[in-house]
Amino acid sequence: MGDRGTSNHSGGTDFILVGFRVSPELHILLFLLFLLVYAMILLGNIGMMTIIMTDPRLNTPMYFFLGNLSFIDLSYSSVIAPKAMSNFWTESKSISFAGCVAQLFLFALFIVAEGFLLAAMAYDRFIAICNPLLYSVHMSTRLCAQLVAGSYFCGCISSVLQTSMTFTLSFCASRAVDHFYCDSRPLQRLSCTNLFVHKVVSFFLSSIIILPTIIVIVVSYMYIVSTVLKIRSTEGRKKAFSTCSSHLGVVSVLYGAVFFMYLTPDRFPELSKLASLCYSLVTPMLNPLIYSLRNKDVKDALSKLLDKKKIIF
């Protein structure tokens, strides 16, 4: 690899993904676990997108956002899972410089886009419950498309900044990334560069991404709760809350794991890996289950689709 003082960020050197520090005997078990989770992610999210695209009753803003959420979940889990599974079978566990850049860029793009999309979904629920008579006017097809496009755009800009900052660092002799994918924090630990400015910029970037999305979500639900409590009938309250419970579950799982990871000190890398596992693989697996189990429209559409399959066969 070269001496500590001479190694830099040139693109000709591979990184090593250390992964989970477990005995080799557990690698097959972890491979099977990752395979099971990834299979459920594929089945759940592709299934959700298929249901939304094939059932005309789900041609609404809420399900337009949900279809994009499934696409994002499928995308960023696919950036992580295949490489992680292959590393359980190989001794080298290497990833090329270009592969590491691509992995960080794509993962950052989709995870940030998901945060903004969840904020857009909270706004959609706010309009649906607090201004139901004007819902179709406010949540027009054009606005929904703009909100989704804006989510991807913000994810792209954030990803470009984060990836460029990370890979302009000078790396030391060790190229062993103490993680199961290329992430900015474990890559920073390999740097010989003074990280003060980098950390300040990263904190500022994280703040302008996380704070606005959380504010939109919290304020939307404050208005929603206030409106629902004014509904006199118990059945009406239950129906209103049921439309939001799935979204709140998804938000709680994602942001809980993200905060746990980034608030975990660097001296506990294994805890960071577990938190990363939650939002990179567990969250995309749970999201379709949360929406399908708690949503009558999705369950009805799924039953209709399965009935069609039975008739065909």
Side-chain angles (χ1 to χ4, degrees), residues 211-274:
L211 284 179
T213 56
I214 289 180
I215 288 171
V216 170
I217 292 169
V218 170
V219 171
S220 295
Y221 276 101
M222 286 174 62
Y223 279 102
I224 288 170
V225 170
S226 175
T227 301
V228 170
L229 291 178
K230 294 175 183 176
I231 299 174
R232 293 182 178 181
S233 68
T234 306
E235 187 64 28
R237 289 182 189 176
K238 184 178 179 182
K239 184 178 180 181
F241 273 127
S242 69
T243 65
C244 302
S245 58
S246 299
H247 178 259
L248 274 175
V250 171
V251 169
S252 301
V253 172
L254 179 68
Y255 279 99
V258 169
F259 280 129
F260 180 75
M261 177 188 170
Y262 284 101
L263 293 176
T264 302
D266 279 348
R267 64 180 180 273
F268 300 119
E270 297 304 311
L271 285 178
S272 293
K273 292 175 193 176
L274 288 176

Side-chain angles (χ1 to χ4, degrees), residues 17 27 83-95:
L17 295 175
H27 282 187
K83 181 61 181 174
M85 288 189 291
S86 69
N87 283 348
F88 290 127
W89 290 102
T90 58
E91 291 293 331
S92 66
K93 306 186 189 309
S94 65
I95 183 171

Side-chain angles (χ1 to χ4, degrees), residues 136-151:
S136 59
V137 176
H138 284 299
M139 298 305 297
S140 63
T141 303
R142 181 179 179 182
L143 177 61
C144 293
Q146 288 173 339
L147 289 172
V148 170
S151 298

Side-chain angles (χ1 to χ4, degrees), residues 37-87:
V37 170
Y38 187 53
M40 292 180 68
I41 290 170
L42 292 175
L43 180 64
N45 287 288
I46 293 175
M48 183 66 74
M49 288 187 288
T50 303
I51 290 170
I52 291 170
M53 287 188 293
T54 56
D55 196 313
R57 294 174 299 174
L58 303 184
N59 187 21
T60 65
M62 175 181 169
Y63 294 106
F64 174 67
F65 292 133
L66 183 55
N68 278 277
L69 180 68
S70 291
F71 173 75
I72 289 173
D73 285 340
L74 181 64
S75 298
Y76 73 71
S77 59
S78 296
V79 171
I80 303 299
K83 181 61 181 174
M85 288 189 291
S86 69
N87 283 348

